[in-house]
Amino acid sequence: MSRPNTRNKNKRPRADESNSPSVAVFKKIHSTGDISKSDICQLYMVWKPLCHGCHGNSKDSPNCFCGLIPIGNGVRKSGLWQKTQEIIRGLGPNPSSDLRDSSETPAGLTNLGATCYANSILQCLYMNTSFRSGIFSLDLDVLKKHPVLDQLVRLFAQLQSSKMAFIDSTPFIKALELDNGVQQDSHEFLTLFLSLLEQSLSHSKVPGTREIVQHLFRGSVSHVTRCSSCGKDSAASSKSEDFYELELNIKGFNNLEESLDDYFSEEGLVGENQYFCESCQKRVDATRCIKLRSLPPVVNFQLKRYVFLPKVISGPFFY
């Protein structure tokens, strides 16, 4: 007597795919060549309701992300990645969980798109211990009134105390209202940022912090014009101008010293460019140069990386 076959007793019958709504949509598209919005909704199932935490594994719903990645212990085999574990492991460790090697190792900053110029400036300012100490000593009243200063203090505190390998700079970028999709020049950003800091810090009640930008980064120079006949300097030569960076040419120079020599070199005023000397009361040959009057503790050098040639090209030319 043969035993009854119960193998397929509880097995659900396979649905006839030829009668599914998607197949009907495909047939209509092939026959007419037209694709409507309702066709797209049906094929991609975007008509399904948004998920609010079903904790399931709705693989056929583009609006459900529950169970996208298997849980940590790996017991429940669910999630879209359950069949690609080798691929995921091949990508290496998750950088969001990286820790610093030690407290002496500086932390990085996340690149939010086109914020590398801001990140590099922030890292340089953070590594300046005098500037960092001044920012940490700000009074709470100033931080409440100036969101940029408040976010800068928070960012510096995270860079110093966090155990993570990098810090999210989103709150600071938002406080500055920077567009993370637009690349900017780092020198221009530094100039504007120091100006903003100088203005905001002026409201501080802490004397050492109120003028920390001027104390650390501001120097002075004079533009000296000297008569080649009588050897006297012009009256304007005694006037000094403040600077927060020195703009140096780099084309044709091999190092910083050569660029500095060019910056402070004498320029001859001859021919049509002769200088009118008040002492000689006539136009004479002269020399013009830049003289340093005072140097700040920290000197910023702006390297002229490009020149604008309107007659040759329609944009800047980079070295």
Side-chain angles (χ1 to χ4, degrees):
M1 183 175 181
S2 62
R3 299 176 59 185
N5 186 0
T6 60
R7 178 179 300 177
N8 298 323
K9 181 178 180 180
N10 297 323
K11 190 173 182 180
R12 295 180 180 179
R14 179 176 297 181
D16 186 4
E17 295 183 354
S18 61
N19 296 325
S20 66
S22 298
V23 173
V25 172
F26 276 120
K27 289 181 178 179
K28 182 184 76 67
I29 293 174
H30 283 294
S31 61
T32 63
D34 296 330
I35 303 177
S36 64
K37 185 176 181 180
S38 61
D39 295 338
I40 296 176
C41 292
Q42 177 62 43
L43 292 176
Y44 291 96
M45 293 178 287
V46 295
W47 50 267
K48 292 197 174 185
L50 295 177
C51 175
H52 296 286
C54 65
H55 302 291
N57 185 25
S58 302
K59 293 183 179 181
D60 61 342
S61 175
N63 298 322
C64 176
F65 295 96
C66 296
L68 182 64
I69 299 176
I71 58 178
N73 55 26
V75 176
R76 182 172 63 89
K77 292 184 177 181
S78 63
L80 299 181
W81 299 116
Q82 60 182 355
K83 296 181 180 181
T84 57
Q85 286 298 306
E86 292 296 333
I87 297 177
I88 298 301
R89 285 195 293 266
L91 297 177
N94 188 351
S96 63
S97 59
D98 288 350
L99 301 177
R100 284 196 281 178
D101 296 334
S102 66
S103 59
E104 298 179 356
T105 303
L109 291 172
T110 53
N111 189 349
L112 306 176
T115 59
C116 54
Y117 66 95
N119 287 352
S120 60
I121 294 299
L122 289 172
Q123 289 285 19
C124 290
L125 292 176
Y126 170 78
M127 295 304 294
N128 188 312
T129 55
S130 298
F131 181 80
R132 188 197 319 169
S133 300
I135 294 299
F136 282 154
S137 64
L138 283 171
D139 36 310
L140 294 178
D141 293 338
V142 173
L143 297 181
K144 291 180 181 179
K145 296 178 181 178
H146 298 85
V148 173
L149 289 180
D150 181 57
Q151 291 300 330
L152 182 63
V153 171
R154 295 175 183 270
L155 184 63
F156 277 12
Q158 288 180 299
L159 287 173
Q160 178 169 298
S161 60
S162 177
K163 295 181 180 180
M164 304 306 297
F166 63 90
I167 306 300
D168 185 9
S169 58
T170 301
F172 176 79
I173 298 299
K174 287 185 177 180
L176 271 180
E177 298 182 356
L178 295 178
D179 186 352
N180 61 355
V182 178
Q183 183 68 40
Q184 297 187 31
D185 183 70
S186 58
H187 168 246
E188 182 180 3
F189 172 76
L190 176 61
T191 302
L192 296 176
F193 187 51
L194 289 181
S195 177
L196 175 63
L197 288 177
E198 189 174 2
Q199 180 181 1
S200 302
L201 293 173
S202 63
H203 299 90
S204 175
K205 299 178 181 179
V206 183
T209 304
R210 189 181 304 129
E211 298 182 352
I212 189 172
V213 173
Q214 298 92 314
H215 171 71
L216 288 176
F217 306 110
R218 186 175 68 183
S220 62
V221 295
S222 294
H223 296 271
V224 179
T225 302
R226 179 168 298 171
C227 176
S228 300
S229 298
C230 65
K232 292 183 179 180
D233 296 340
S234 65
S237 299
S238 60
K239 298 179 181 180
S240 60
E241 299 178 3
D242 295 334
F243 72 88
Y244 288 84
E245 69 280 320
L246 298 178
E247 297 187 2
L248 306 180
N249 293 315
I250 61 174
K251 184 179 181 180
F253 304 116
N254 299 316
N255 48 53
L256 180 62
E257 288 76 11
E258 293 182 7
S259 294
L260 285 171
D261 290 339
D262 172 73
Y263 184 80
F264 295 111
S265 62
E266 290 186 347
E267 173 191 3
L269 302 179
V270 297
E272 296 180 355
N273 295 325
Q274 276 188 325
Y275 157 72
F276 182 84
C277 179
E278 294 291 342
S279 298
C280 301
Q281 286 296 305
K282 63 179 181 179
R283 297 180 63 86
V284 295
D285 292 345
T287 59
R288 178 180 296 169
C289 65
I290 297 176
K291 295 289 186 182
L292 276 174
R293 298 304 181 188
S294 65
L295 274 176
V298 179
V299 182
N300 294 320
F301 296 114
Q302 159 64 10
L303 305 181
K304 296 182 179 180
R305 306 183 308 280
Y306 58 88
V307 294
F308 191 78
L309 305 175
K311 294 183 180 180
V312 179
I313 54 179
S314 58
F317 176 76
F318 288 84
Y319 294 125

